[in-house]
Amino acid sequence: MRPIALTIAGSDPIGGAGIQADLKTFHQFGVYGEAVITLLTVQNTVRVSRVEVMPPELVIEQLRAVLEDIPPGAAKTGALGSAAMVRAVAEAAGGFRFPLVVDPVMVSKHGRPLLSVDAVEMIRRELLPHATLVTPNVPEAEALAEMAIRSRDEMRRAAALIAELGAKAVLIKGGHAEGDATDLLFNGSEYREFPSPRVETPHTHGTGCTYSAAITAGLASCLGLEESVARAKAFIAEAIRTSPGLGSGCGPVNHFAG
């Protein structure tokens, strides 16, 4: 049977991030993709002008419809938008019988908040205990760990603090740090680094979504966590390097990368 993966995330009408990026990524890895939409955005490569969060009960109805008929082998969350949404998804995640990757999307690439302040605390307390893996960038890791990250040692400390919140594993992405784009994986007992050269490009729209979706595709295909991360890291590095240069601003990465 073909592997199945589910994304619980927001919509990006230009297709570079959110559920559109997730579904493209699942397909690229030979995984059948499903999507539960949490919010709608009005955005392109230069602006985000509107964000409309779905009613949590509508999202849960979508999720129940998926799970009762075509349950996935793994799932991921993206932009959730509100504390009520985080709580609803967290309650549902308590019954998941498959790995869950939490991408704690807080701000759009254009700086528009996609998660309320109270929702960040809800992620810390209610969603992370159900996470097989959480994939924050450095600013998101700072919010979750409640500490500044200015060095590799501080990145390790933050990963350990986030793991204490209940996540089984933590992947802090190094795209916002200095030097090479080195990501740090902490599995609760050991650290592993995943380095790649930094690519100087404005076209990084949807990198976090695409990266976490690639990891989710690996888990849905019954790969181990480290193998899933390593394969996804290679994919996102190539997707950034070969970005198609679409749009007038921060364009999407190349979802055809292979």
Side-chain angles (χ1 to χ4, degrees), residues 178-203:
E178 297 294 326
D180 288 348
T182 297
D183 305 335
L184 177 71
L185 176 66
F186 179 59
N187 65 7
S189 59
E190 297 178 339
Y191 296 93
R192 179 177 171 185
E193 293 185 352
F194 295 85
S196 67
R198 184 175 299 278
V199 177
E200 296 301 332
T201 176
H203 302 302

Side-chain angles (χ1 to χ4, degrees), residues 105-174:
V105 179
M106 298 180 188
V107 178
S108 77
K109 191 65 70 174
H110 312 294
R112 176 72 177 259
L114 296 175
L115 194 68
S116 59
V117 174
D118 56 339
V120 175
E121 182 58 26
M122 195 71 67
I123 286 179
R124 296 178 78 251
R125 291 190 289 106
E126 300 199 17
L127 186 56
L128 289 189
H130 303 297
T132 302
L133 175 70
V134 58
T135 62
N137 58 31
V138 168
E140 291 162 350
E142 290 179 326
L144 294 175
E146 298 182 319
M147 63 169 284
I149 300 173
R150 301 291 182 268
S151 66
R152 195 65 53 81
D153 286 342
E154 288 175 344
M155 188 182 285
R156 288 182 172 230
R157 175 61 180 155
L161 288 173
I162 296 169
E164 289 177 4
L165 297 172
K168 294 181 178 64
V170 180
L171 178 69
I172 300 182
K173 298 170 291 188

Side-chain angles (χ1 to χ4, degrees), residues 67-85:
L67 298 181
E68 74 183 23
D69 190 32
I70 311 178
K76 62 156 288 188
T77 62
L80 298 178
S82 70
M85 186 71 72

